[in-house]
Amino acid sequence: MPSTPPAGMAPQEIRIASVPAGHVYVRHCSVPGSDGVTRLADPRPNGAPSTSQRWWPPVMLQPEWVGAHHQDFDVFHLHFGFDAQSPAQLTELVDTLRRHGKPLVYTVHDLRNPHQNDPATHDAALDVLVPAARRLITLTPGAAHTISRRWGRTATVLPHPHVVGLPRMAQARPRRDRFRVGVHAKSLRPNMSVLPVVRVLAETVAGLPDAELQVNMHRDVADPASPAHRPELVREVRDLADQNRLTLVVHDYYDDAQLWDYLTSLDLSVLPYVFGTHSGWLEACHDLGTAVAAPDCGFYAEQRPCHTYKHSQDGGLDEESLRTAVLDAHADRPGPRADPDRRTRERADIAAAHRSLYADALR
């Protein structure tokens, strides 16, 4: 355990086993240079080729890894990536950390997992992790209130750091005469209900003289040979495109630069979610000055300024609220945009808060 240095000496580095370490959120919870925290690199799973970009269950979640490497870190910080772990496996991980005297810090990004239709699976994981954590972090006051109500625990609220790199964030947006509304179907996560949203947007945009609608989807959604193929969605969106009511763009996964270009090309990005908690996509839009229309499920509106409409798994879509969100975004353009200097200061504050919280967990 790191000791408190004598007065006048630099604080000792705190070593963090972070799950994951390479994700942009985690990387931006530190500052360039030294901030008193060292995060171990993500171990590559056995059998994963060095060129692989696919997702693998994090090796650090294995109790055997903790047993073999507990002398290499001071604090275990879990963010996400435990979707495949059962409650029994998470309990074994927690017990192993406790046995080796390693405090667990858990950032509650998701109170409802956007990749799982049944909330019971994630709820069971939370029932293991939240009570076991020495310290809890979350991103919004609403999420902290839910954590307090459900588990009687206090979570420190720290904002989501910037997603887009600062040089790109500072670039001027292109000037356009058209108001472009975008919906990104990605590869259709379970929390997405795209068609009802697209139908309302096509009607609403048609009533605006200078507006256009663009729907993007990954190639696997449009490919009949892919397990991710959604024929009803593809058929109806293509019909609307044939009627010149929207533009359909089918493409492979964007890298970061392509994604920033895409988001910058939009004036309004509509998130077609019916459940969830927080959003990195929303943060990227804020960094680039693209307005967002977010559903009222989760705590998106507490993250950054955005337009809100009513859309949830239980209540479905309130069409009028979505129309209003689009019209308001059209009237209020340009959308709010992050200031790079403010984001830089915010990132430094977030890094300092993490180090303080780690030190507190070690006491």
Side-chain angles (χ1 to χ4, degrees):
M1 180 182 302
S3 59
T4 302
M9 289 185 63
Q12 185 174 337
E13 289 280 316
I14 301 177
R15 303 166 302 165
I16 307 300
S18 179
V19 181
H23 190 277
V24 64
Y25 173 93
V26 180
R27 289 189 284 107
H28 289 180
C29 284
S30 64
V31 294
S34 176
D35 58 8
V37 173
T38 299
R39 291 175 175 85
L40 306 188
D42 292 313
R44 183 166 292 277
N46 290 333
S50 61
T51 56
S52 175
Q53 296 300 311
R54 62 166 286 189
W55 180 87
W56 299 80
V59 173
M60 288 183 186
L61 293 177
Q62 299 171 5
E64 296 80 9
W65 183 91
V66 174
H69 295 274
H70 63 90
Q71 294 183 337
D72 299 335
F73 66 91
D74 304 304
V75 176
F76 193 94
H77 190 167
L78 179 58
H79 290 270
F80 32 73
F82 53 88
D83 305 47
Q85 309 301 113
S86 69
Q89 289 172 314
L90 291 173
T91 298
E92 186 180 1
L93 170 67
V94 165
D95 289 345
T96 304
L97 290 169
R98 187 177 294 121
R99 185 164 61 252
H100 291 290
K102 302 299 177 179
L104 169 65
V105 173
Y106 174 40
T107 295
V108 187
H109 292 267
D110 298 313
L111 286 163
R112 179 74 191 274
N113 191 317
H115 303 284
Q116 297 171 344
N117 270 313
D118 184 358
T121 302
H122 193 62
D123 286 346
L126 293 177
D127 284 340
V128 173
L129 296 171
V130 173
R134 184 79 60 85
R135 295 292 183 271
L136 294 167
I137 300 170
T138 194
L139 310 182
T140 56
H145 175 76
T146 300
I147 292 165
S148 175
R149 176 174 53 81
R150 286 177 59 178
W151 292 283
R153 297 294 310 276
T154 298
T156 300
V157 177
L158 298 176
H160 196 302
H162 67 91
V163 173
V164 178
L166 296 171
R168 180 59 192 266
M169 196 189 308
Q171 290 181 15
R173 285 177 62 87
R175 298 178 64 86
R176 284 191 304 274
D177 295 330
R178 305 282 289 171
F179 177 75
R180 181 178 293 169
V181 179
V183 178
H184 201 297
K186 301 185 184 180
S187 290
L188 288 188
R189 294 185 313 192
N191 74 328
M192 301 177 78
S193 179
V194 175
L195 266 182
V197 169
V198 168
R199 291 171 185 145
V200 173
L201 293 177
E203 176 190 351
T204 305
V205 167
L208 295 170
D210 61 344
E212 58 188 8
L213 173 61
Q214 179 174 315
V215 175
N216 284 50
M217 66 178 65
H218 288 155
R219 201 171 301 281
D220 54 2
V221 177
D223 181 1
S226 169
H229 182 50
R230 296 296 183 270
E232 180 187 0
L233 170 67
V234 175
R235 182 171 54 251
E236 185 162 343
V237 171
R238 280 181 171 158
D239 286 345
L240 289 169
D242 290 341
Q243 300 166 32
N244 294 319
R245 301 182 66 187
L246 59 81
T247 300
L248 172 62
V249 181
V250 179
H251 56 84
D252 294 321
Y253 285 69
Y254 286 150
D255 62 23
D256 283 351
Q258 292 170 321
L259 181 57
W260 307 156
D261 287 344
Y262 161 68
L263 291 178
T264 304
S265 77
L266 303 179
D267 297 286
L268 175 67
S269 180
V270 180
L271 309 185
Y273 307 155
V274 292
F275 59 84
T277 313
H278 303 114
S279 170
W281 187 277
L282 186 155
E283 296 285 342
C285 287
H286 181 63
D287 288 339
L288 295 167
T290 300
V292 170
D296 62 349
C297 59
F299 301 102
Y300 307 111
E302 292 188 11
Q303 275 190 252
R304 301 294 168 188
C306 60
H307 302 275
T308 303
Y309 69 101
K310 297 178 181 178
H311 197 199
S312 67
Q313 192 171 35
D314 295 331
L317 172 63
D318 180 273
E319 296 183 359
E320 187 57 35
S321 68
L322 178 55
R323 278 191 285 269
T324 299
V326 174
L327 296 176
D328 287 348
H330 180 267
D332 295 344
R333 55 185 161 161
R337 185 176 188 182
D339 174 77
D341 290 339
R342 185 172 298 174
R343 277 297 220 181
T344 300
R345 293 192 297 270
E346 180 185 65
R347 178 173 170 178
D349 290 343
I350 292 169
H354 274 82
R355 193 195 190 286
S356 177
L357 189 143
Y358 295 147
D360 189 48
L362 286 165
R363 291 191 178 99

